[in-house]
Amino acid sequence: MTDQMTTAKNSLATVAPYAPVTAERNVRDDLENSIPKPYLARALVAPDSTEHPYGTSDHQHHGLSVLQQHVAFFDMNDDGIIYPWETYSDILRANFENIFTKYARTVPDKLTLGELWAMTEGSREAYDFFGWIASKLEWGILYILARDEEGFLSKEAMRRCFDGSLFEYCAKMNKGYEDKMS
């Protein structure tokens, strides 16, 4: 193998032999097969690998960015201002596909509470004690809010959180539950 070929191969390596954590937390290298231009930041949708390469199919973005869609759910009176009493969590956007590649060990597209804990441990900043607590709290709230009957937090639920459709879905589910109880 020539030096140029070796350099080209190494430039795409996702595992460093002397950094074991890079082998434990693999990064996907096949996203081009399911998401057109996966490196391109999306303004209106939150795509995932194979199930929703174009975002949530039945969710209307109304010309808002993904962040605006997420925040708009909390703006109960549509005045453009989010007051503390209008919101109950602030869930951060992460490198979505890599979360599951790195941490989903039990089921490929779902996280257990333990795997979610490992994710927050793996992405924390040194000496950011508030950040450690806030991250665990935010992801824990999402887990409690969106876990399925088997105790998994699905990729679909996380993606819906990012584009704002999770809260609409939960509101519909709660309405259905309340109707059953009446």
Side-chain angles (χ1 to χ4, degrees):
M1 197 180 272
T2 67
D3 287 342
Q4 189 174 18
M5 289 174 63
T6 301
T7 301
K9 182 180 174 190
N10 287 340
S11 70
L12 297 175
T14 60
V15 175
Y18 297 112
V21 72
T22 61
E24 293 171 13
R25 300 177 185 162
N26 294 325
V27 176
R28 291 193 65 162
D29 61 358
D30 65 343
L31 290 178
E32 290 87 2
N33 298 334
S34 56
I35 300 176
K37 299 182 181 179
Y39 50 84
L40 182 66
R42 304 305 201 269
L44 302 174
V45 298
D48 65 23
S49 61
T50 55
E51 297 85 17
H52 303 93
Y54 301 102
T56 305
S57 59
D58 60 344
H59 179 67
Q60 299 297 316
H61 57 72
H62 304 291
L64 299 175
S65 74
V66 173
L67 180 59
Q68 288 173 314
Q69 293 171 56
H70 176 82
V71 172
F73 176 83
F74 298 104
D75 187 8
M76 298 299 181
N77 58 3
D78 292 322
D79 66 353
I81 301 170
I82 308 298
Y83 296 98
W85 52 87
E86 290 182 306
T87 183
Y88 54 90
S89 71
D90 177 25
I91 300 166
L92 300 174
R93 173 98 194 231
N95 191 342
F96 191 71
E97 287 300 324
N98 288 335
I99 289 173
F100 294 93
T101 304
K102 290 179 180 180
Y103 300 104
R105 299 289 180 235
T106 310
V107 178
D109 290 340
K110 296 180 177 183
L111 296 173
T112 64
L113 183 58
E115 291 165 347
L116 196 64
W117 185 273
M119 180 197 71
T120 61
E121 290 290 301
S123 60
R124 66 184 191 178
E125 299 287 329
Y127 302 110
D128 179 13
F129 304 111
F130 175 78
W132 299 352
I133 294 167
S135 176
K136 287 182 180 4
L137 184 64
E138 290 168 344
W139 286 105
I141 289 171
L142 178 60
Y143 177 81
I144 291 167
L145 180 67
R147 71 178 176 229
D148 62 19
E149 301 83 27
E150 298 170 349
F152 291 107
L153 180 62
S154 70
K155 180 189 286 188
E156 171 69 9
M158 287 178 66
R159 193 185 53 68
R160 283 183 173 270
C161 177
F162 295 144
D163 71 11
S165 64
L166 173 70
F167 307 107
E168 295 167 4
Y169 174 77
C170 288
K172 287 178 189 174
M173 295 306 291
N174 284 336
K175 177 77 171 122
Y177 178 75
E178 289 171 3
D179 290 345
K180 286 181 184 178
M181 297 303 288
S182 302

